[in-house]
Structures are given as structure tokens and as C-alpha cells.
Amino acid sequence: MSPRFSEYFKIDKSQAELDFVDIELDRDMPLFVDPYAISIYPGEWYSDCNEIIVDFFSTLVKLISSGSFEEAKSILIHFREPNSTRLGLSKGSPRGSGIGTGYASSLMNSILNSKAAKTGQLQDISDCELMIEGVSSDRISDMTINIIRHKLIEYTHNQCELWGVTTHKVQAGMCWDPENARWFNSFSYLPVYGDSKIILVPRNIVRYRSIINHQKYYNHFVLNFLQAENLSANTSLVTVLKTKKGEKRKVYKKTLREHYPQTKDFIAEFAQRKPETMEQYKQQAKADDCFLSAEGIESKQKSPRPIFYEDIITQIRGIAPGREQADVFHNTIVGALNAIFSPDLMNPKKEAPIHDGRKRIDISYDNSCDHGFFKKLISMHNIFCPYILFECKNYNSDMRNPEFDQLTGRFSDKRGQFGILICRNKGDKNLCEQRCKDIINDRRGFVIVLDDNDICNMLHMKWNTNGKDQVDAYMSDLFKKLLF
């Protein structure tokens, strides 16, 4: 049986407790990195990745439109070795079909011969799935992994530091440099399995298939529009039905498919004629998109494992308060926070150094929330919080001013003004609440205190179908108590 990353590197966490896809090391998982998912999430990491993708694709399109075909082909040739992520469609041992010289030529020919390229319809890399023959979810994923490899390496490094995974200096692969519009060869410290380097991928950006895909656009937007258009013009495609109330005119989608075949050239032609349908489709796709839960990712494992949030609760309850078990509590809480707050918080970093290493933050997360509690902190309460800072105390007594001051001392105009203090027991809840209110009244930021009961309550909520909504409501209630 193929070992999981968490097993081989002795992390001992379930998929729910990990921010990354817990890949099997001897096979590829049929999951794909989606550039559109990257583009719709807020947060610094996503923004950086999206800027790199946009820069690469705009460079490629400019080269093609200017007739610099050989130069365009040369930047496509460097798409290689996506097998390091263990994502894709390879059977058996991960091979990673990549793109390489042969596919670069094929892809170039597909782009050059497409109506999308000739009419200037290609806007971003996701449009390739819509309008370029032979480009589907797996190729889009391969391209994206290669383009953002540097950010994925950076992410992998953070996760290895977080969980104490040993890394080795290796040739990490070619990375795109947006400032100079060129590829560069990078060396970095990465985990190694056998003779293969491993690059981890945040689970927020993987999907079963591309969010933007030509079949949905064709079936639900193109055909619907053509139905209305043909009915309005009363074309020969209209079928007249006799009913008890008289005649009824109808255009069947089956008939439309015969006259307007589902080719990507036709889709590009239609999108040029009716660009508003493409914009409507992308907005709808964004609204309908759903990140993959831990259970959803497990379903694509060769040997899926059930997610038991009760196990995390049992671990927390079994840790004795005090310094001796502080590290155990700290690691357990990181897993619990991942399970509770994914996908709103991502890229956890443990004991991040600040002030040139003179101070450390126990845990920091990127705030990637596009709706819910952490988004409302920004949109409704005008609280600057690009990062959410945590201090973790394995104390079973009242949190006093020094503990609160330690957390608020980490606030800044760059890191944000919101943090969460985690302890075993709040003790005097009224006093704890008043200390939080004092911080607000003194304009030193905003702090919420969570204890074992709060963490376990929210873990219980994650079992439910609408668990995320329940967690958002729970956090909102705690926060409202501090404002009144």
C-alpha cells in the first residue's frame, strides 16, 4: 500500500487537520490545481500566485499575437515535472506527463489554429479549457503547477517547518520570474521520498475538474441563449406543438446541438459574438464553486479513510495542562484549527519570527476568507486583518494581562489588528471578556479567547452539513459580546 505523506514523514494527522493535500507517495491522485480557484480567493498567497499566472499568460499571448512563435514555444517547453505534486491522471507510479517539447509543439499548434487566438478571445489560462482543443483539466493543472512552482515550494517549506518534516537541498525545477519574464532554475530545501522530491499543494486550490469548463458553458449558457434567440426569430429550428390550449413553440437543445456542435472553436466564436454570456458564466461559476472538504479529498484516495473529528476532541481532552505538554498541545491545536477554519484560513506557520527574531508568533494564518466571520471582520467592522494571529497557552487558569499583551504586541499595520488567544480554560469568563473589551477600548486591537470547550464545540459543528455556517455564527456571537 502506498504511504501517505503524513505517514511517511510521521506527522500523524488526518486530512482534516492538514492544510495541504495528503498525497499518496507512490501514485498520482485524480485531483487538479485550478487557476480560477486561485484567482477568486482573497489573501496574499493567492494574489501572488495569480499575478505570476497572469504575467506568464499575458507574455505568452503577446508573443503569439506579435508572431514570435519560436519564442512562445520556448517558454512552453519548460513545463515539466509536475509529478512532484502527485496530482494528475497517471496510472500506477507517478510519471507526470508534463508538457515538454512534443506537447509544446502540439499546444502551440492548437493555440495558433484556434479561433480564440485569432480573435483575441483568450483572456487568461482558464480560457484555454474553454476554447483550445486538447486542453482539459489535467493540462491546465500541469501548466499552473509549473508556473507557480516557486510559490508552491515556498508553501511546502512552511508546512515542513510547521510539522517538523526533514528537508534536503535539491534542484527544485524551473520557476517563472514575472519581473524578467523568463524561467530560472531553482534550488531549495524540499522533502524527499526515495529519489523523488515532493512539493505540497494547498487543498483549497484543488478540484475534481476545472471550475471553468466548456461543457457547462455550452450546455447552460450557449444553448439557453440560442433557444431564446431562435424562438425570437422564429427560425426553422422552432418546433410547433399542438396542445389543448393551442399551439406551443419550442426549440429543443438536441436540435441546437446538431446545428451548433460543441467544438471549442464554436465556443470561442460565440463568446466573441456574445461576450456578456461569458462574463455571466464566470460569475455563476464563481458563485457555484465549492472547495473540496477533507472528506471530498479522501474520496479520491486509493484507500479512503473516514474523518473522525471526535478523535481530535479526544486528543485535546487527554493533554495535561502545563509546560511539559505545551508542544503536544500546540501541535494538536494547529490540527484542530485547520479542521475548524479551512478554507477561510490557510498557510499556517508556527512560531513565525518577527522583529528580526526578537519575538515570535505562536501561529499565523493567511486570511483567505471570501465570506463568513473572518471576511466580516474586514467588510463590516473595518478591522485590518490580512493575517490571523494565534497565541497558544497550555494554561488551566485565568489569562492575565501579560498573556493578552503578548498577543497584542504582535499586532501591526502590516500583520493586522486581530488575534485569538487559546487556553485550556477561561476561568473567570466575565473577567476574561472584560480584558478583551479593555483592549478594544484602548484601541490596541481585537482579541477573542477560545478554550477547550470552544474548540471542541466547533469541532462538533464541523460534522454537520452546514458546519462552516455554524462555526461562523459561533465566532460571530463571541465577537459581538465584546462590542456591547
Side-chain angles (χ1 to χ4, degrees):
M1 183 180 293
S2 174
R4 300 273 187 97
F5 182 90
S6 61
E7 290 175 329
Y8 184 80
F9 292 99
K10 297 180 173 54
I11 297 177
D12 192 28
K13 297 291 177 187
S14 68
Q15 178 64 80
E17 298 169 88
L18 298 171
D19 190 62
F20 55 87
V21 179
D22 191 15
I23 52 175
E24 293 184 24
L25 296 174
D26 290 324
R27 66 183 290 268
D28 282 353
M29 291 180 65
L31 295 174
F32 309 101
V33 174
D34 192 325
Y36 194 67
I38 293 171
S39 72
I40 62 180
Y41 272 112
E44 183 181 29
W45 191 86
Y46 298 107
S47 177
D48 288 347
C49 287
N50 191 54
E51 286 180 9
I52 295 171
I53 294 169
V54 169
D55 178 83
F56 176 86
F57 195 74
S58 63
T59 300
L60 177 63
V61 170
K62 285 177 183 177
L63 290 172
I64 293 172
S65 61
S66 67
S68 304
F69 304 136
E70 288 303 314
E71 193 173 352
K73 182 178 175 181
S74 72
I75 68 172
L76 289 172
I77 289 175
H78 289 293
F79 284 153
R80 303 175 175 241
E81 300 180 1
N83 57 308
S84 56
T85 63
R86 300 299 194 267
L87 302 179
L89 292 175
S90 295
K91 303 296 183 183
S93 299
R95 297 184 299 275
S97 58
I99 293 180
T101 306
Y103 190 75
S105 298
S106 175
L107 182 60
M108 277 295 302
N109 290 333
S110 296
I111 293 175
L112 291 175
N113 293 326
S114 70
K115 288 188 177 180
K118 295 173 183 176
T119 59
Q121 285 301 109
L122 289 178
Q123 299 295 316
D124 57 52
I125 195 171
S126 298
D127 290 343
C128 290
E129 204 286 339
L130 288 170
M131 305 179 191
I132 306 297
E133 294 293 347
V135 177
S136 54
S137 298
D138 58 334
R139 294 302 184 186
I140 294 290
S141 179
D142 284 353
M143 293 167 70
T144 305
I145 289 169
N146 278 277
I147 294 168
I148 64 168
R149 180 178 280 117
H150 178 67
K151 294 299 295 182
L152 292 175
I153 290 170
E154 176 187 283
Y155 173 83
T156 302
H157 183 72
N158 290 336
Q159 293 303 297
C160 288
E161 280 198 335
L162 178 70
W163 298 113
V165 172
T166 300
T167 58
H168 304 273
K169 190 173 183 179
V170 295
Q171 184 177 1
M174 301 297 287
C175 299
W176 181 252
D177 176 5
E179 291 187 6
N180 298 298
R182 63 178 181 84
W183 293 97
F184 68 95
N185 200 359
S186 66
F187 288 82
S188 187
Y189 285 89
L190 289 171
V192 173
Y193 173 69
D195 59 355
S196 174
K197 58 181 176 287
I198 302 297
I199 295 178
L200 300 175
V201 175
R203 58 189 176 107
N204 286 8
I205 66 172
V206 299
R207 298 292 186 272
Y208 296 143
R209 62 175 301 176
S210 299
I211 299 170
I212 301 297
N213 71 82
H214 67 285
Q215 292 176 335
K216 285 187 178 180
Y217 176 58
Y218 176 82
N219 289 325
H220 302 299
F221 284 81
V222 175
L223 293 184
N224 288 354
F225 183 91
L226 290 173
Q227 278 182 316
E229 186 177 60
N230 280 272
L231 278 172
S232 178
N234 197 27
T235 69
S236 61
L237 301 184
V238 175
T239 299
V240 180
L241 304 173
K242 301 291 185 179
T243 69
K244 291 181 180 180
K245 296 181 179 180
E247 292 183 345
K248 182 179 180 181
R249 298 162 60 248
K250 188 174 180 66
V251 177
Y252 290 100
K253 286 189 175 181
K254 180 180 178 181
T255 305
L256 291 173
R257 289 189 181 97
E258 293 172 353
H259 283 76
Y260 307 101
Q262 185 182 294
T263 66
K264 293 191 176 183
D265 272 355
F266 171 72
I267 288 174
E269 184 180 87
F270 182 86
Q272 183 187 27
R273 183 165 70 91
K274 295 294 177 183
E276 67 275 13
T277 63
M278 179 63 73
E279 182 61 30
Q280 291 167 2
Y281 166 63
K282 288 187 175 181
Q283 289 301 316
Q284 188 63 52
K286 178 180 178 181
D288 293 343
D289 176 50
C290 184
F291 77 99
L292 295 189
S293 65
E295 291 83 356
I297 292 174
E298 279 292 338
S299 71
K300 293 299 181 180
Q301 296 279 11
K302 188 173 183 179
S303 301
R305 301 168 184 172
I307 305 294
F308 295 116
Y309 292 95
E310 188 67 44
D311 289 348
I312 310 173
I313 294 172
T314 300
Q315 290 173 32
I316 292 172
R317 297 295 192 190
I319 299 172
R323 289 188 176 182
E324 287 187 5
Q325 300 252 342
D327 288 342
V328 176
F329 181 65
H330 195 284
N331 283 343
T332 304
I333 287 298
V334 173
L337 294 177
N338 288 335
I340 293 168
F341 294 124
S342 177
D344 294 347
L345 304 183
M346 66 88 63
N347 198 14
K349 300 172 188 173
K350 185 171 69 173
E351 295 185 346
I354 60 174
H355 299 164
D356 296 325
R358 294 187 297 276
K359 291 183 179 180
R360 302 184 76 84
I361 301 168
D362 265 11
I363 311 165
S364 69
Y365 281 83
D366 293 4
N367 185 354
S368 59
C369 185
D370 62 349
H371 70 281
F373 172 71
F374 293 103
K375 177 66 174 180
K376 289 178 181 178
L377 290 178
I378 301 170
S379 60
M380 290 181 60
H381 302 289
N382 296 316
I383 298 173
F384 179 65
C385 51
Y387 306 98
I388 305 300
L389 311 181
F390 291 81
E391 286 291 333
C392 190
K393 304 296 182 186
N394 194 27
Y395 298 172
N396 201 21
S397 57
D398 290 344
M399 293 294 99
R400 300 182 181 277
N401 285 332
E403 283 73 44
F404 287 90
D405 293 343
Q406 183 180 19
L407 180 54
T408 59
R410 273 60 172 168
F411 295 168
S412 76
D413 293 339
K414 292 182 179 180
R415 289 182 293 276
Q417 300 292 327
F418 181 86
I420 296 177
L421 182 58
I422 296 178
C423 62
R424 306 307 304 273
N425 192 317
K426 292 177 184 175
D428 187 333
K429 292 185 178 180
N430 291 330
L431 179 59
C432 182
E433 189 174 296
Q434 190 55 56
R435 293 189 195 278
C436 293
K437 290 181 177 180
D438 290 342
I439 292 170
I440 297 173
N441 293 334
D442 292 342
R443 299 183 180 276
R444 291 188 288 132
F446 299 83
V447 173
I448 285 179
V449 178
L450 301 177
D451 63 9
D452 281 7
N453 289 331
D454 295 313
I455 296 294
C456 294
N457 285 340
M458 288 189 282
L459 284 168
H460 275 299
M461 292 172 187
K462 292 293 285 191
W463 274 327
N464 301 325
T465 303
N466 60 339
K468 181 183 181 305
D469 293 338
Q470 292 184 35
V471 168
D472 283 334
Y474 190 93
M475 292 294 292
S476 294
D477 287 342
L478 290 176
F479 188 65
K480 286 177 184 177
K481 290 178 182 179
L482 307 180
L483 302 180
F484 300 100

